[in-house]
Amino acid sequence: MTLLTFTLILFLGAFLAGFIGSLSGLGGGIIIIPLLSVFLGVDMHYAIGTALVAVIATSSGSASAYVREGITNMRLGMFLEIATTAGAVIGALISTNAPTSALAIIFGATLIFSSVNSLRKKEDYLIKPENSSILTHKLKLASTYPTPSGEMVHYGMTNIVGGFSMMGLAGMMSGLLGIGSGAFKVIAMDTIMKVPFKVSTTTSNFMMGVTAIASSVIYIQKGYIEPSICMPVIIGVLIGAMVGAKVLVKANTKKLKVFFALLIFVLAINMIYNGIVGKI
């Protein structure tokens, strides 16, 4: 395979990854890593490093828009980043020294969990600020977000310690596998802390880039981030995500979620099989 052919396949694959990631809400890393490691024969460590760079690019682009709109809870995000950043560094250190076959199996299992979680009906909580936990008041984490009509919705949260602990695990999985770990962050903020869905989604998106930067430092030091692989992936993912965002407005999201959940499940089984037989 020539360099031009490799780059073209990588760009098209990254475009598809950004497109699917945007529609499914699971991020492009779930497609990029199998594409590089299984179909293009790239070492798993380089695939994870590339996926992390893609996460930084996509998160930075979309997070800025949510911050301007006033939906993202910056104070909550920066607080939880303490846990995710520490977890990401630990995960990256483990990953860069772990056998690729083991990473493939863990990655496949995580994909299965993420695909199942994406189909789960999520309850949208709205805790009044006065009913928040003591730690929420002390850390001043309660905030507001605007509705389409311009009205400000006041909300609080609970179980800060539980959410902080789960965020540490989310960060570790991000550093270990090069993914956004959105499924784990949803559990932390939606299920445990009971943050409103719109706020948790946008805050999680803001956090993904910072978490990925922390773990990518380790991959850079180990030499696992290759510019010639990263550049076509970043460009492809960004274009794919923008196209996906436009399609999402008119698409039937329920049917799309089921389709992509099945697609991700197939990719997960493929990764686990290749990890077990030692092809990765």
Side-chain angles (χ1 to χ4, degrees), residues 21-39:
S22 177
L23 291 175
S24 64
L26 294 174
I30 58 171
I31 304 295
I32 290 170
I33 293 175
L35 170 70
L36 286 170
S37 58
V38 177
F39 299 105

Side-chain angles (χ1 to χ4, degrees), residues 88-123:
V89 172
I90 293 169
L93 288 170
I94 295 171
S95 178
T96 51
N97 293 288
T100 54
S101 56
L103 292 175
I105 295 169
I106 297 170
F107 183 82
T110 305
L111 282 194
I112 292 173
F113 173 76
S114 298
S115 64
V116 171
N117 189 71
S118 69
L119 295 174
R120 183 175 59 88
K121 187 178 180 181
K122 298 174 180 65
E123 186 176 348

